[in-house]
Amino acid sequence: MKKLILNFLFSTCFVLFVFAQDTTKVKKDDIQKENQIEEVKIIKQKKAIEQKPDRTIFNISDQPNLNAGTLMETIKQLPGLISSDVAGMMYQGKQLEVFLDGRPLNISSLELNSFLEGMPANSVERIEVITQPGAEFPATSGGAILNIITNRNAKKYLSATYTSSSAFNTYDTSRFRTYNSVLLNAKNKYFGWQLNFGQNYRENATWSEFLNTSSNTILSKVESDKINRSQFLKSGITFDINKDRLLLNYDINVANSDSETEGFGLGFVTSDKGKSHNTRQDATITYQKRFDDKSQKLDFVFNYNNNKNDFNLFSNVFRNAVLDNFSNQNYYNGKFDYSQGLRILDEGKVSFGALYEKLLFEAENFGSINLDYQRTTASTYLEFQAKYNKFDFILGSRAEKYEINGKTTTVDLIPFDQFRWFPNATVQYNLSPQIFLNMNYNKKITLPSTSALNPNNTTYQNQNLNSVGNPNLQPTIFDNFEVKISAFDYAYLGYNLSSAKNQVVQQVSLNGNLVQSSNFNVSEVKIHNFNFALPLPYMLFTKGLKETMKFDFNPDKINFLYLYTGYQLHQIPNLETKGFWNLNLMSQIILPKDIKFITEFGFITSGGNYFYFVADKPFNNYLDMTFSKKFLKDQLTVTIFGDDIFNMNRSLFRPINDPLLSYNKSDTRKFGFTINYKLPTKNKAAKIEQNILKDDKKEEGTVIGN
């Protein structure tokens, strides 16, 4: 292991230092004889991937290969991230909690997929995967946080950007998809505002099958055609009150889906029509108190969120309603955060705060309430940060009090009334300004999602296929350990262990001819994850290391290959398990006329255990290609793309306890184009950009989000 680490450091020090460039260039115009203010133009080159001590940041807005489709399609391409119906959403072995602009989405796992599929990737600035959430984040964030940042810079003039993307595919028939969005923003000395709105139209198909392998009998084979329509609006306004700031935000997402499903299996033939409607609204008030001491900050946040979901399934054969399920969720949140610098060691900081939240969830079946669920959380935290010589230290603690109760139509839920303590600690040794060794421990908790608790079926079902929730699921407690060596933002070598008690996992069982899917708690699960990432300039292979090191260039303007590989092993009591490999390759080649050609390849090996499932064939297997070019002084960007060109992306899983094989395939192969146009302005102030996004852990100062 020691030899491996030394070789890693040696190679990255000599090969990757060429990626370490100054990101800011300042150009000053000639000063006229009259006393005029200098005009300064600031150009900031964003990095595609940034490694920080507690998070990995993926720049989405400037990468045509990532912002051409839906946000869900983008997330599945992020190196190290696994998103599937079986494994859920995980990053380097850690279960992910999804945040939007720094706030939890607070929607169930099934609704999360629909939400991400209905959100265009071109409406996102960047995605942060916070692998080491400290005490300031709720302990319910689980192993890691996926934070979707949609904010943009506010400028001292009105600016507008229009983005449109269209794609098609041809399987049994042709299907079309289109996304459109408009971003408006402006700022003056009194207030700033932003408005981002758009729509998504998506025609797609899925094919699924359950096979009884002992009798070689098809229990259920389904082909579904869906039309998804969604609209979103994000608005924000900020007022500067002396040094303080008041932010008001309102977001709304509306999604509608229609489906036509044909199915058959042992003993049945069916034809069904499905309809679903989802409305999510979110309102936030944030007051940021600032002091003469720049390190002293006090924030107050009040948030209300409402999420309604209506799902119906109608049988064309029997001419009756099969499912009529509705859910309504209300979420209330209030918190404050305070931080101040400390004279401790070389440099220090203390942060503390408190939070109170309440969640109310009701589920209805054919108009009758069959689940009434309530959750109240009160918490407080204290965290210290310090620097000494080449060491950085973080030591924090969070205390949370939970009161969870509810009832179904027949019984009361098992109550969860507990007080828990969640410590976290990080030590980082900085070998150089851009190479560091990081070690971290934190304890977290994950509360069961409302979709896992919901006793109603909110997905497709037929005579041999059913899916139900488990209202008696208990929270999962995580102990997370991680060690990582990172160099020059793009390269790293790491290992993490996530030990979970009462892990919630999906179970598929066979009862006669009925395939039933549900969730249950496993007493203990340990997830081991080893990961490695390294960028390699193609120049290294053609000119050698000596010539490569003579160049001073921007990584965004060179030809290179980015390699990510990870190995993951799930340890489950009384079960012999095998690990699996996750491989991602991304190649960038600059063609003549500054045309950027990007190729991405993803692959997850078969034979490994994903909790209680085994992959029969490799999955998340794709090859994507993208060509992009900028025109009109970089105001217009045109992208042509092809996703899953060889139609390899599908999944085949076997549950370990039953003779079943499940097959799932969607129309992932598609071709299309995207245009992004920034409307020009004649305002001279347009050359001065005031970035209201601070490079701070809490992303303070944004117009949209807190």
Side-chain angles (χ1 to χ4, degrees):
M1 182 66 181
K2 182 178 180 181
K3 184 177 180 181
L4 179 62
I5 293 174
L6 290 175
N7 288 336
F8 171 78
L9 289 174
F10 178 80
S11 62
T12 53
C13 285
F14 283 93
V15 177
L16 300 178
F17 92 97
V18 293
F19 283 84
Q21 303 295 321
D22 291 333
T23 59
T24 305
K25 299 178 180 179
V26 179
K27 178 182 179 180
K28 297 183 178 180
D29 293 336
D30 293 334
I31 303 175
Q32 299 179 0
K33 294 181 180 180
E34 294 81 8
N35 292 329
Q36 295 182 349
I37 299 176
E38 282 187 344
E39 186 179 89
V40 181
K41 184 175 182 180
I42 300 176
I43 302 174
K44 185 173 182 179
Q45 179 62 51
K46 297 178 181 178
K47 298 176 181 178
I49 301 175
E50 290 186 71
Q51 287 289 331
K52 294 195 174 183
D54 67 335
R55 67 189 64 193
T56 302
I57 301 173
F58 299 92
N59 172 32
I60 304 300
S61 61
D62 292 335
Q63 296 192 70
N65 56 308
L66 293 181
N67 62 25
T70 68
L71 184 55
M72 190 66 183
E73 292 167 342
T74 295
I75 287 174
K76 288 183 177 181
Q77 295 180 60
L78 301 183
L81 195 144
I82 298 174
S83 179
S84 72
D85 295 335
V86 172
M89 193 173 291
M90 306 176 71
Y91 182 77
Q92 297 178 4
K94 298 180 180 181
Q95 295 288 148
L96 285 171
E97 180 78 9
V98 181
F99 282 43
L100 182 66
D101 293 325
R103 302 190 300 273
L105 273 175
N106 288 308
I107 57 178
S108 65
S109 54
L110 292 175
E111 294 162 357
L112 174 63
N113 290 340
S114 299
F115 176 81
L116 296 176
E117 287 175 353
M119 190 172 181
N122 52 45
S123 66
V124 174
E125 175 86 1
R126 65 187 184 275
I127 292 176
E128 300 178 338
V129 182
I130 305 170
T131 53
Q132 300 176 5
E136 65 183 285
F137 295 99
T140 50
S141 56
I145 296 172
L146 188 145
N147 189 21
I148 302 164
I149 304 295
T150 62
N151 308 304
R152 307 296 173 93
N153 295 347
K155 303 176 177 63
K156 288 187 175 180
Y157 63 99
L158 176 64
S159 66
T161 302
Y162 170 70
T163 305
S164 177
S165 179
S166 298
F168 74 94
N169 61 50
T170 301
Y171 283 79
D172 53 328
T173 186
S174 296
R175 297 178 177 88
F176 179 71
R177 306 172 188 183
T178 182
Y179 318 99
N180 292 277
S181 68
V182 175
L183 172 68
L184 303 172
N185 61 44
K187 191 177 188 299
N188 56 46
K189 64 180 181 179
Y190 300 108
F191 66 91
W193 61 271
Q194 290 181 339
L195 186 65
N196 189 198
F197 57 92
Q199 61 82 222
N200 171 20
Y201 176 84
R202 177 184 174 93
E203 300 173 351
N204 68 293
T206 58
W207 298 267
S208 64
E209 180 179 321
F210 277 94
L211 178 70
N212 186 327
T213 56
S214 62
S215 61
N216 199 30
T217 303
I218 296 177
L219 299 176
S220 174
K221 187 171 184 178
V222 172
E223 178 179 344
S224 181
D225 258 298
K226 297 181 180 180
I227 297 178
N228 301 295
R229 305 174 183 86
S230 62
Q231 300 83 37
F232 72 92
L233 181 146
K234 295 178 64 64
S235 62
I237 185 169
T238 175
F239 297 93
D240 294 324
I241 307 172
N242 296 323
K243 295 180 181 180
D244 303 339
R245 180 172 293 168
L246 175 66
L247 297 95
L248 306 175
N249 301 97
Y250 175 73
D251 303 346
I252 182 171
N253 294 76
V254 179
N256 294 280
S257 176
D258 296 284
S259 65
E260 293 284 347
T261 305
E262 305 293 328
F264 71 89
L266 187 62
F268 79 93
V269 175
T270 185
S271 174
D272 302 298
K273 180 181 295 184
K275 283 184 174 293
S276 67
H277 177 81
N278 176 260
T279 302
R280 179 183 181 274
Q281 300 183 75
D282 188 280
T284 305
I285 301 174
T286 304
Y287 188 83
Q288 298 175 332
K289 177 68 178 176
R290 294 299 178 258
F291 306 87
D292 293 334
D293 182 357
K294 297 298 183 181
S295 68
Q296 192 176 5
K297 302 173 185 177
L298 177 61
D299 293 347
F300 297 93
V301 180
F302 302 94
N303 174 240
Y304 168 72
N305 179 285
N306 176 260
N307 190 33
K308 295 180 180 180
N309 187 43
D310 195 358
F311 178 75
N312 298 272
L313 189 66
F314 182 83
S315 173
N316 294 324
V317 175
F318 299 102
R319 309 303 299 174
N320 69 322
V322 179
L323 297 173
D324 184 1
N325 295 321
F326 175 80
S327 65
N328 184 28
Q329 176 179 288
N330 287 292
Y331 173 78
Y332 308 86
N333 172 291
K335 68 172 184 175
F336 81 88
D337 296 280
Y338 177 82
S339 62
Q340 179 177 325
L342 287 179
R343 293 183 179 180
I344 179 173
L345 301 179
D346 293 339
E347 181 183 346
K349 176 184 175 182
V350 62
S351 303
F352 63 86
L355 174 146
Y356 180 84
E357 64 179 10
K358 191 174 187 67
L359 184 145
L360 306 173
F361 179 80
E362 282 187 350
E364 297 181 9
N365 177 249
F366 285 97
S368 176
I369 298 175
N370 58 354
L371 175 63
D372 185 357
Y373 174 85
Q374 299 182 25
R375 184 183 80 216
T376 302
T377 305
S379 62
T380 184
Y381 75 90
L382 177 65
E383 186 173 78
F384 293 94
Q385 300 181 31
K387 295 179 180 291
Y388 178 72
N389 201 359
K390 293 186 176 182
F391 287 92
D392 292 333
F393 303 95
I394 300 176
L395 182 63
S397 176
R398 190 177 186 95
E400 298 199 346
K401 177 68 167 64
Y402 305 99
E403 294 180 5
I404 302 176
N405 57 73
K407 61 182 180 179
T408 66
T409 53
T410 55
V411 296
D412 291 339
L413 304 185
I414 299 174
F416 185 82
D417 189 353
Q418 293 189 18
F419 174 86
R420 288 189 174 272
W421 175 60
F422 300 93
N424 68 281
T426 300
V427 178
Q428 179 171 299
Y429 178 67
N430 302 295
L431 287 82
S432 75
Q434 298 192 64
I435 303 177
F436 60 82
L437 171 65
N438 180 282
M439 293 178 288
N440 174 268
Y441 165 76
N442 62 69
K443 181 183 284 288
K444 296 293 180 182
I445 186 172
T446 293
L447 306 177
S449 69
T450 51
S451 66
L453 296 168
N454 193 343
N456 300 324
N457 189 336
T458 57
T459 60
Y460 171 79
Q461 75 170 35
N462 57 43
Q463 286 85 334
N464 291 349
L465 190 64
N466 190 26
S467 177
V468 295
N470 181 357
N472 288 310
L473 291 174
Q474 294 296 293
T476 304
I477 306 296
F478 293 93
D479 287 287
N480 302 307
F481 306 85
E482 183 172 21
V483 58
K484 179 171 67 175
I485 299 174
S486 180
F488 303 102
D489 293 329
Y490 291 88
Y492 59 89
L493 173 69
Y495 164 78
N496 63 70
L497 167 65
S498 183
S499 179
K501 295 181 180 179
N502 284 331
Q503 173 72 59
V504 176
V505 299
Q506 184 183 15
Q507 182 183 41
V508 172
S509 59
L510 181 62
N511 183 10
N513 294 328
L514 179 64
V515 179
Q516 183 158 314
S517 175
S518 187
N519 296 277
F520 71 104
N521 289 107
V522 179
S523 59
E524 185 176 9
V525 174
K526 292 183 178 180
I527 302 177
H528 303 265
N529 192 84
F530 165 84
N531 50 86
F532 172 79
L534 184 69
L536 296 171
Y538 285 127
M539 186 187 303
L540 182 68
F541 303 106
T542 59
K543 296 183 178 296
L545 178 61
K546 184 177 180 180
E547 292 297 319
T548 301
M549 294 178 63
K550 294 179 181 179
F551 285 83
D552 183 24
F553 44 68
N554 187 329
D556 194 49
K557 301 295 184 181
I558 67 167
N559 304 323
F560 69 92
L561 175 70
Y562 187 75
L563 165 68
Y564 169 86
T565 184
Y567 178 78
Q568 193 173 130
L569 174 66
H570 294 191
Q571 279 188 296
I572 301 175
N574 304 316
L575 182 65
E576 184 178 350
T577 58
K578 296 181 180 180
F580 56 89
W581 288 91
N582 180 10
L583 175 67
N584 290 91
L585 296 173
M586 192 273 278
S587 170
Q588 174 178 285
I589 298 176
I590 308 300
L591 300 176
K593 304 295 184 180
D594 286 331
I595 297 174
K596 186 180 294 186
F597 172 43
I598 296 176
T599 304
E600 289 188 89
F601 174 76
F603 183 83
I604 299 180
T605 59
S606 61
N609 288 79
Y610 303 81
F611 298 113
Y612 283 86
F613 296 86
V614 176
D616 194 65
K617 299 289 184 181
F619 79 105
N620 200 36
N621 191 7
Y622 62 88
L623 179 69
D624 299 345
M625 292 186 179
T626 304
F627 296 87
S628 66
K629 179 173 172 54
K630 294 185 177 182
F631 302 90
L632 304 178
K633 298 181 180 180
D634 293 345
Q635 290 176 341
L636 174 65
T637 302
V638 178
T639 302
I640 300 174
F641 61 88
D643 291 344
D644 193 17
I645 292 175
F646 296 114
N647 200 29
M648 301 180 293
N649 202 345
R650 78 277 190 263
S651 65
L652 287 94
F653 287 96
R654 297 176 183 268
I656 61 171
N657 296 320
D658 289 283
L660 282 172
L661 175 64
S662 68
Y663 167 82
N664 283 280
K665 178 75 178 80
S666 60
D667 52 348
T668 51
R669 180 175 58 188
K670 64 181 184 296
F671 302 90
F673 67 92
T674 299
I675 59 172
N676 182 283
Y677 182 60
K678 300 176 183 178
L679 274 66
T681 177
K682 295 182 179 180
N683 192 325
K684 294 181 179 180
K687 297 180 181 179
I688 305 177
E689 295 193 1
Q690 300 294 327
N691 189 349
I692 64 173
L693 294 177
K694 300 286 185 66
D695 187 12
D696 194 309
K697 182 177 288 187
K698 296 180 183 178
E699 298 300 333
E700 70 160 274
T702 56
V703 169
I704 298 178
N706 66 336

